Amino acid sequence: MKVALAQINTVVGDVWGNVEKTAGALERAVEGGADLVAFPELTMTGYPPEDLLLRPSFIRDNLDALEEFTGKVPEGVVAAVGFVDLDGDLHNACGVISGGEVLHRYHKRYLPNYGVFDENRYFREGEGPAPILKMGRDLVGLSICEDIWYPAGPAHDQALGGAGVLLNISASPYHRLRGAYRERMLGTRASDDGCYVVFCNLVGGQDELVFDGRSSVFDPEGNPIARAKQFEEDLLFVDLRPEEALFHRLHDPRPRKEDPDRHPEMITVPLSTSEPVGEPINRAGIEHRIEPPLPEEGEVLEALTLGLSDYFRKNGFSRAVLGLSGGIDSSLGAAVAARALGPENVTGVLMPSRYTSETSNTDARAVVKNLGIDNQEIPIGPAFDAYGEMLEEAFKGLPEDETEENIQSRIRGNILMALSNKFGWIVLSTGNKSETSVGYSTLYGDTAGGFSVIRDVPKTLVYRVARHINEVEGREIIPDSILTKEPSAELREDQRDVDSLPPYEVLDPILEAYVEEDKGVGEIIAAGFDEEDVKRAVSLVDRSEYKRRQAPTGIKVTARSFGRDRRMPITNRYREEDGDERRSE
Amino acid sequence: MKVALAQINTVVGDVWGNVEKTAGALERAVEGGADLVAFPELTMTGYPPEDLLLRPSFIRDNLDALEEFTGKVPEGVVAAVGFVDLDGDLHNACGVISGGEVLHRYHKRYLPNYGVFDENRYFREGEGPAPILKMGRDLVGLSICEDIWYPAGPAHDQALGGAGVLLNISASPYHRLRGAYRERMLGTRASDDGCYVVFCNLVGGQDELVFDGRSSVFDPEGNPIARAKQFEEDLLFVDLRPEEALFHRLHDPRPRKEDPDRHPEMITVPLSTSEPVGEPINRAGIEHRIEPPLPEEGEVLEALTLGLSDYFRKNGFSRAVLGLSGGIDSSLGAAVAARALGPENVTGVLMPSRYTSETSNTDARAVVKNLGIDNQEIPIGPAFDAYGEMLEEAFKGLPEDETEENIQSRIRGNILMALSNKFGWIVLSTGNKSETSVGYSTLYGDTAGGFSVIRDVPKTLVYRVARHINEVEGREIIPDSILTKEPSAELREDQRDVDSLPPYEVLDPILEAYVEEDKGVGEIIAAGFDEEDVKRAVSLVDRSEYKRRQAPTGIKVTARSFGRDRRMPITNRYREEDGDERRSE
């Protein structure tokens, strides 16, 4: 049987656009000879639709869209398409469609409600026997995303019930190294159940999430035999012999025990193209396309690029503006913007002050030239002097401090927002995750913007991705001077980041342990970090929650990003040292 | 039996402070002769602790805190205290403590995962028979918050199992008119089950939530017989005869059918003060305290005041600064701040421009005087001119537009932030819900601040609350001129809100239908609103999500606030008219 994995980029809320895109991919799949065409989870609504799901009009439109699509599926071809079913309650569903009819509505069994997921907020779990599609003599088990992450989930029942192929339609978001982890799990599921596993994933950016595609197919030994592109739409064909899985299982010594209460339900699917009985099942020479996976820096770069370009495209924006300081963060931000939007759609603004070094200006101009983006230079002196005058009486007799530093940063934010308002450009902010974690930023200053390009990229990874750009482009995009000079905010004389923070090589692993892994202070110190560094970093993270709450959204790249992934109260008096002191009293 | 409802104001994360507060209330309850002392849900951790619950160190500290509290409960007294139990998984739990021992750990059965709640993210539901505390010959059923909102929940099993008192410990957040709704439900529960219902609620502010207290007790006919204060800590005593509930049930003709599979578990609680058998159970003359409920405007005012004062106190802030425009919103914001923090801790800043009318300045100064708050006046002309100069080349040949309006608003935001940075004051923003809904505000301008006092108060309610303040104070706090003049942002010549928006009397009900009730466009028009007004309002709400996402937190007052209550994607192409057009094709 020929299966097409339609790895499409749907848009949240755009039910009619999604129908059109789904129908287009179906047509190409049918032209390619597909018997079965799979689409990503919640094809009709996009993923995740969040509280749109609470609107009755939205649910109705999604059902109308499913009906419209149903009419487009020809006889003899089966489409597995995601939608929201209304059946006593809302269900995250997969419609099995053939010959103008919805033959079955599968309801997702396992609803993720952790990390970035909130599916219990909206959906009820499906119940009853797991379905197997009977396509001629081929049996195909069907499940949705989270379902396949459990070894004893519906796919297991389907394998015991005779399925040779386990099809899973997904919306599995990217974070670094996630793709390889996911493939290991899917391969294990295939070899445990002795089945082909066909995994069709969503691709595209949706606010802070990027879905990486990388749809893939595993043979019953768990080897990947086909893999679609990462971070791009794709249509991947595989030609499978489900019977091979059954014969493979005969040679697997592990006994398989079926639970009679969980026996799957057979859904007969009328097919026009079923292979004739007796055709040899071991067809040599079937070559499937298997795209090579990107290296880690490449993944991150493509995730940032797709996340940014989709945020613009899906929201109807075209041009971006950002401040260029001559530092590594704004340089990487500009490079990603030029890749995502085209250099002709990006304006970099130099906004020097009395503290800006000539090197910074030179470096920033080099980035503009290397990328071929537009450029403006607007020195901030006049506004800074005006604020000094306006606040003179209020600040009389008081020394300069961070207030004056923040004023500079906010003037820059205001200039960018003024350009945004006048020309309709979207402001990109370019703070990295290390700064965001410890609050080393000015609210309404450098945090200002519609989208925060690298907010989930730790500083040490910022350098690696910047170097990677130079490598893949084969020329200097980010000047070497920027890659090697010491980081500074340049908001006062001779300022350096290390005056306020531990070096990033020390800070980043502490932040990873605290923010991404929920490790305690004692545990992090025990891992070999300096007690002062750990306590300072943790305290800064705790105290900066209010700043992060007002920052623009940006692309999730790590295992736990700020935002919908890590949900901390602002009002939070928890200090774990209190407990340590208490216990040692 | 004498029950004390300890309606205390816990702090999220402050496990040791919460133990101390809990122990203090216990002591006063014991002095008052209580046999049973109830505390709010999750007493040890505060509510809601959000992702602190994912930190192992936090869970351990919470268990240590429970142990410390356990040692403080004397023989013969029972305390029901909320904590996070670790028992295979995390549970939202209530510890039944007496004589230095935890006699039972009840696990919440119904976990709310809608609206502002995310309990499925953290907790597993409790299982098994519902517990009844056997205190001498008195039987008391125990449940937690959401449990009592279901007619067939554990309290029902407990009533069928013989309980005369149903104790529920809660953290039930306020929104307008919620208190009366909740009392109706609790009264119905009491009369359906023929039991006393004892409801002990949390009080206090936690980021956007305010818990209103209003702990209450209902007799088996469903009448409220005792009610604690709203929006204040309280210790409410009631003297109940659980046997009366049993006798009452004998006279209720409805047959009660117990499900043998759901028979409650008896937890024997050793008591020193059990009433001697044979004492007459109908003791006349027991007078319970029953606080009168506040009117709607009074509730809103107290919610805003408590929410703001707790945000400051719990985060260690003391002084606030806000811009005063002479309009109703900033005037109400200042009045709430003066109530919450004391007038000596509030600075109102007038920041006039060339477009500010003299009436506005006079009105703003009157507010300063009426409230007795500090005052500064900083005209924004110099910075506005400086931006004009800096942007002259970039804007050459282009007409003035909203860009110049936003620059004025952002200069004001910068001045307030500069005062904040220099003096450690917290900036209050004072946009109302009507503006917030339709995005009638300047990001980083009037939206700038650490806390947004009235962001969930619709404009028409802003007027009602402002008038209420004048009434309860018995003098003019908000000048009549402010209450009666036409709203204007004063960012250009002769600007009026009605030039950009429908009048608020029209806009507010449309917004309520769309934002709070998820009504569709067609439905709202069918309810009698002008089609143009509805479509414009809905489109503005949809397009302003990105602004709201970057706005400071503020107090939930309506049935659905923006923030954790209404979770919309920014990237969202859903337009319900598309479906209408499609269907009518």
Side-chain angles (χ1 to χ4, degrees):
Chain A
M1 62 184 300
K2 208 155 176 185
V3 183
L5 290 75
Q7 176 177 299
I8 58 175
N9 188 344
T10 54
V11 179
V12 164
D14 190 16
V15 289
W16 304 111
N18 293 337
V19 166
E20 205 171 306
K21 182 174 280 271
T22 305
L26 175 76
E27 211 177 299
R28 290 192 301 282
V30 170
E31 281 165 18
D35 304 302
L36 172 61
V37 191
F39 293 91
E41 185 176 11
L42 290 189
T43 326
M44 295 295 114
T45 61
Y47 192 91
E50 301 189 67
D51 278 8
L52 280 173
L53 292 168
L54 304 180
R55 303 195 69 79
S57 44
F58 181 68
I59 302 301
R60 279 194 292 266
D61 280 348
N62 135 90
L63 291 170
D64 287 351
L66 182 78
E67 196 180 316
E68 175 155 325
F69 175 73
T70 300
K72 296 177 193 286
V73 182
E75 298 272 343
V77 172
V78 180
V81 67
F83 73 105
V84 179
D85 199 12
L86 178 66
D87 180 14
D89 204 334
L90 295 186
H91 293 276
N92 182 333
C94 178
V96 178
I97 302 176
S98 188
E101 255 189 287
V102 183
L103 302 174
H104 185 74
R105 294 159 184 257
Y106 172 76
H107 295 164
K108 190 174 182 178
R109 299 315 199 234
Y110 289 81
L111 301 176
N113 203 72
Y114 54 81
V116 300
F117 302 108
D118 289 289
E119 294 201 13
N120 282 135
R121 183 175 171 89
Y122 310 106
F123 300 121
R124 186 185 293 263
E125 295 94 345
E127 283 175 356
I132 291 183
L133 310 184
K134 192 163 162 41
M135 303 174 64
R137 60 176 197 280
D138 295 337
L139 302 187
V140 178
L142 179 65
S143 64
I144 303 178
C145 202
E146 190 79 3
D147 289 336
I148 198 91
W149 290 79
Y150 298 83
H156 184 60
D157 296 338
Q158 290 157 345
L160 292 173
V165 173
L166 302 175
L167 170 63
N168 181 268
I169 70 166
S170 267
S172 182
Y174 167 77
H175 65 76
R176 60 169 160 159
L177 307 178
R178 177 73 166 171
Y181 179 91
R182 195 201 289 136
E183 283 202 4
R184 188 183 71 192
M185 181 280 291
L186 292 168
T188 302
R189 214 60 82 228
S191 66
D192 278 354
D193 285 327
C195 286
Y196 289 96
V197 166
V198 175
F199 168 79
C200 182
N201 197 22
L202 179 63
V203 70
Q206 170 60 28
D207 290 349
E208 70 186 71
L209 300 182
V210 168
F211 299 90
D212 57 338
R214 197 172 179 164
S215 298
S216 43
V217 180
F218 302 81
D219 71 17
E221 287 186 327
N223 307 306
I225 57 169
R227 184 187 294 119
K229 289 175 184 154
Q230 288 170 274
F231 305 103
E232 273 185 63
E233 288 197 318
D234 202 353
L235 184 63
L236 181 69
F237 289 93
V238 287
D239 197 348
L240 305 177
R241 290 303 169 124
E243 299 101 329
E244 286 178 24
L246 303 180
F247 288 110
H248 173 83
R249 259 127 79 177
L250 295 177
H251 297 93
D252 186 334
R254 288 180 287 179
R256 289 182 156 81
K257 263 193 166 163
E258 196 180 356
D259 179 345
D261 290 345
R262 299 182 60 180
H263 193 72
E265 175 191 2
M266 291 289 167
I267 316 291
T268 301
V269 178
L271 271 192
S272 62
T273 59
S274 189
E275 307 277 346
V277 176
E279 199 184 324
I281 56 171
N282 279 307
R283 294 184 298 185
I286 298 179
E287 280 284 337
H288 293 126
R289 176 156 59 92
I290 181 153
E291 300 281 344
L294 296 165
E296 187 184 355
E297 296 83 1
E299 274 188 4
V300 172
L301 178 60
E302 296 304 331
L304 297 177
T305 306
L306 178 59
L308 180 60
S309 68
D310 268 7
Y311 188 79
F312 271 59
R313 186 176 58 83
K314 294 179 179 180
N315 282 296
F317 307 138
S318 53
R319 286 195 53 108
V321 60
L322 77 169
L324 289 181
S325 71
I328 182 78
D329 298 320
S330 58
S331 302
L332 178 60
V336 170
R339 280 175 64 95
L341 311 173
E344 69 283 8
N345 289 316
V346 180
T347 300
V349 186
L350 276 70
M351 294 172 282
S353 77
R354 67 187 70 164
Y355 304 118
T356 306
S357 67
E358 208 28 55
T359 318
S360 294
N361 288 328
T362 311
D363 287 344
R365 288 185 197 117
V367 169
V368 165
K369 186 160 162 287
N370 295 350
L371 291 172
I373 61 176
D374 275 359
N375 180 29
Q376 295 202 9
E377 301 204 10
I378 303 178
I380 65 168
F384 189 68
D385 294 341
Y387 281 110
E389 179 193 324
M390 288 157 60
L391 291 162
E392 192 176 1
E393 201 187 315
F395 290 179
K396 193 170 283 174
L398 297 171
E400 290 206 354
D401 58 13
E402 286 177 11
T403 308
E404 283 73 17
E405 299 182 26
N406 287 329
I407 288 175
Q408 296 165 58
S409 184
R410 291 196 182 105
I411 293 169
R412 293 189 175 114
N414 288 2
I415 290 172
L416 294 174
M417 289 305 294
L419 293 169
S420 167
N421 291 160
K422 191 64 90 183
F423 300 111
W425 304 341
I426 301 300
V427 176
L428 304 180
S429 69
T430 57
N432 61 60
K433 186 174 193 175
S434 312
E435 289 173 359
T436 304
S437 300
V438 296
Y440 194 65
S441 60
T442 299
L443 196 55
Y444 320 133
D446 51 328
T447 68
F451 200 77
S452 183
V453 186
I454 57 171
R455 77 165 195 170
D456 199 38
V457 185
K459 186 84 171 187
T460 48
L461 184 57
V462 166
Y463 281 101
R464 287 168 54 200
V465 176
R467 288 203 176 86
H468 177 78
I469 290 183
N470 287 354
E471 272 168 39
V472 294
E473 295 284 331
R475 66 191 178 98
E476 194 177 75
I477 297 284
I478 317 268
D480 196 57
S481 155
I482 291 177
L483 290 166
T484 52
K485 71 185 171 189
E486 192 163 10
S488 164
E490 292 195 330
L491 293 169
R492 60 169 187 268
E493 216 63 65
D494 296 326
Q495 189 175 30
R496 301 175 312 158
D497 288 13
V498 288
D499 300 336
S500 309
L501 301 172
Y504 290 110
E505 301 73 40
V506 173
L507 180 62
D508 278 357
I510 294 174
L511 293 174
E512 185 173 338
Y514 186 63
V515 174
E516 294 183 43
E517 296 163 13
D518 282 322
K519 295 235 170 85
V521 168
E523 234 178 322
I524 304 175
I525 295 168
F529 292 94
D530 177 69
E531 180 168 339
E532 276 311 294
D533 283 346
V534 173
K535 288 192 167 172
R536 186 149 59 115
V538 161
S539 157
L540 288 170
V541 171
D542 289 348
R543 276 160 31 194
S544 309
E545 186 56 33
Y546 76 99
K547 274 195 200 179
R548 287 190 288 270
R549 211 60 86 78
Q550 294 191 41
T553 192
I555 303 140
K556 171 178 163 74
V557 162
T558 67
R560 191 178 295 165
S561 59
F562 297 110
R564 50 186 292 141
D565 210 0
R566 184 179 191 263
R567 306 179 188 177
M568 279 289 175
I570 298 177
T571 303
N572 166 16
R573 279 217 203 129
Y574 182 56
R575 304 289 174 264
E576 51 184 290
E577 299 85 50
D578 300 352
D580 296 346
E581 282 159 25
R582 199 109 183 165
R583 274 187 290 270
S584 64
E585 261 168 17
Chain B
M1 61 184 299
K2 208 158 177 184
V3 183
L5 290 75
Q7 175 177 299
I8 59 174
N9 188 343
T10 55
V11 179
V12 164
D14 190 16
V15 289
W16 304 110
N18 292 339
V19 165
E20 204 170 304
K21 180 172 282 267
T22 307
L26 175 77
E27 211 176 299
R28 290 192 302 282
V30 171
E31 282 165 18
D35 304 304
L36 171 60
V37 190
F39 294 90
E41 185 176 11
L42 290 188
T43 326
M44 295 294 113
T45 62
Y47 192 92
E50 301 188 65
D51 278 8
L52 279 172
L53 292 167
L54 303 180
R55 303 195 69 79
S57 44
F58 181 68
I59 302 300
R60 280 194 290 268
D61 280 348
N62 137 88
L63 291 169
D64 287 351
L66 182 78
E67 194 179 316
E68 176 156 324
F69 175 73
T70 301
K72 296 178 192 287
V73 182
E75 298 271 344
V77 173
V78 180
V81 67
F83 72 106
V84 179
D85 199 11
L86 177 67
D87 181 14
D89 204 333
L90 296 186
H91 293 278
N92 181 334
C94 178
V96 179
I97 302 175
S98 188
E101 254 189 288
V102 183
L103 302 174
H104 185 73
R105 292 159 186 257
Y106 172 75
H107 295 164
K108 190 174 181 177
R109 296 319 198 232
Y110 290 81
L111 300 176
N113 203 71
Y114 54 80
V116 301
F117 301 108
D118 289 288
E119 292 201 15
N120 283 134
R121 184 174 169 90
Y122 310 106
F123 299 122
R124 186 185 292 262
E125 294 95 345
E127 283 174 357
I132 291 182
L133 311 183
K134 193 165 160 39
M135 304 175 64
R137 64 175 193 282
D138 296 336
L139 302 187
V140 178
L142 180 64
S143 64
I144 302 178
C145 203
E146 191 78 2
D147 288 336
I148 197 91
W149 290 79
Y150 298 83
H156 184 61
D157 296 339
Q158 290 157 345
L160 292 173
V165 173
L166 302 174
L167 171 63
N168 181 267
I169 71 167
S170 269
S172 182
Y174 167 77
H175 65 77
R176 60 171 160 158
L177 306 179
R178 177 75 165 168
Y181 179 91
R182 194 201 290 135
E183 283 202 3
R184 189 183 69 190
M185 182 279 291
L186 292 167
T188 302
R189 215 60 83 229
S191 65
D192 279 353
D193 285 328
C195 286
Y196 290 96
V197 166
V198 175
F199 168 79
C200 181
N201 197 22
L202 179 63
V203 70
Q206 168 62 26
D207 291 348
E208 69 186 71
L209 300 182
V210 168
F211 299 90
D212 57 337
R214 198 173 178 162
S215 298
S216 44
V217 180
F218 301 81
D219 71 18
E221 289 185 326
N223 306 306
I225 56 170
R227 185 188 295 120
K229 289 175 184 154
Q230 286 170 276
F231 306 102
E232 273 185 62
E233 289 196 318
D234 202 353
L235 184 64
L236 180 69
F237 288 94
V238 284
D239 199 346
L240 304 177
R241 289 303 169 120
E243 299 101 328
E244 286 176 25
L246 303 181
F247 288 111
H248 172 83
R249 259 126 79 179
L250 294 178
H251 297 93
D252 185 335
R254 288 179 286 179
R256 289 182 158 81
K257 263 192 164 164
E258 198 179 357
D259 179 347
D261 290 345
R262 300 183 58 179
H263 193 73
E265 175 191 3
M266 291 290 167
I267 315 292
T268 301
V269 179
L271 271 192
S272 61
T273 58
S274 190
E275 307 278 345
V277 177
E279 197 183 324
I281 57 170
N282 280 307
R283 293 184 299 184
I286 298 179
E287 280 285 337
H288 294 125
R289 176 157 59 92
I290 182 154
E291 299 282 344
L294 295 165
E296 188 184 354
E297 296 82 1
E299 274 188 6
V300 172
L301 178 60
E302 295 305 330
L304 298 176
T305 306
L306 178 58
L308 180 60
S309 68
D310 268 7
Y311 187 79
F312 270 60
R313 185 177 58 83
K314 293 179 179 180
N315 281 296
F317 307 138
S318 52
R319 286 195 53 110
V321 61
L322 77 169
L324 289 181
S325 70
I328 183 78
D329 298 322
S330 58
S331 302
L332 178 59
V336 170
R339 280 175 65 95
L341 313 172
E344 69 283 7
N345 288 316
V346 180
T347 300
V349 186
L350 277 66
M351 294 173 284
S353 76
R354 66 187 72 164
Y355 304 117
T356 307
S357 66
E358 207 30 54
T359 318
S360 294
N361 287 330
T362 311
D363 286 343
R365 288 185 197 115
V367 170
V368 166
K369 187 161 162 286
N370 295 352
L371 292 171
I373 61 176
D374 275 0
N375 180 30
Q376 296 202 8
E377 301 202 10
I378 304 179
I380 64 168
F384 188 68
D385 294 341
Y387 281 109
E389 179 192 325
M390 289 158 59
L391 291 162
E392 194 176 359
E393 202 186 313
F395 290 179
K396 193 170 283 174
L398 296 170
E400 291 206 352
D401 58 13
E402 286 178 11
T403 308
E404 285 72 18
E405 299 182 26
N406 286 328
I407 288 175
Q408 296 165 58
S409 184
R410 291 196 181 104
I411 292 169
R412 293 189 175 114
N414 288 2
I415 290 172
L416 294 174
M417 289 305 295
L419 294 169
S420 168
N421 291 161
K422 191 64 91 183
F423 301 110
W425 304 341
I426 301 300
V427 177
L428 304 180
S429 68
T430 58
N432 60 62
K433 186 175 192 175
S434 313
E435 289 172 0
T436 304
S437 300
V438 296
Y440 195 66
S441 60
T442 299
L443 196 55
Y444 321 133
D446 52 326
T447 67
F451 201 76
S452 183
V453 185
I454 57 170
R455 77 165 193 171
D456 199 38
V457 186
K459 187 84 170 189
T460 48
L461 184 56
V462 165
Y463 281 100
R464 287 168 55 199
V465 176
R467 290 206 174 86
H468 178 78
I469 290 182
N470 288 353
E471 271 168 38
V472 293
E473 295 285 331
R475 65 190 178 100
E476 194 176 78
I477 297 285
I478 317 270
D480 196 56
S481 155
I482 291 178
L483 290 167
T484 52
K485 71 184 169 188
E486 190 162 11
S488 164
E490 291 194 333
L491 293 170
R492 62 170 187 264
E493 214 64 63
D494 296 326
Q495 189 175 30
R496 300 175 313 159
D497 288 13
V498 287
D499 300 335
S500 310
L501 301 173
Y504 290 111
E505 300 73 41
V506 174
L507 180 61
D508 278 359
I510 294 174
L511 293 174
E512 186 172 337
Y514 186 64
V515 174
E516 294 182 43
E517 295 163 14
D518 282 322
K519 293 233 169 87
V521 168
E523 233 178 324
I524 304 175
I525 295 168
F529 292 95
D530 176 70
E531 180 168 340
E532 276 312 294
D533 283 346
V534 173
K535 288 192 168 173
R536 187 149 60 115
V538 162
S539 157
L540 288 170
V541 170
D542 289 348
R543 277 160 29 195
S544 309
E545 185 56 35
Y546 75 99
K547 274 194 198 179
R548 286 189 290 269
R549 211 62 87 77
Q550 295 191 40
T553 193
I555 303 139
K556 173 178 161 73
V557 162
T558 67
R560 191 179 296 164
S561 59
F562 298 110
R564 52 185 292 141
D565 209 358
R566 184 179 191 264
R567 306 180 188 176
M568 279 290 174
I570 297 177
T571 302
N572 167 15
R573 279 216 203 131
Y574 182 57
R575 303 290 174 263
E576 51 183 291
E577 300 85 50
D578 300 351
D580 296 345
E581 283 158 26
R582 199 111 182 161
R583 274 187 290 270
S584 64
E585 262 168 17

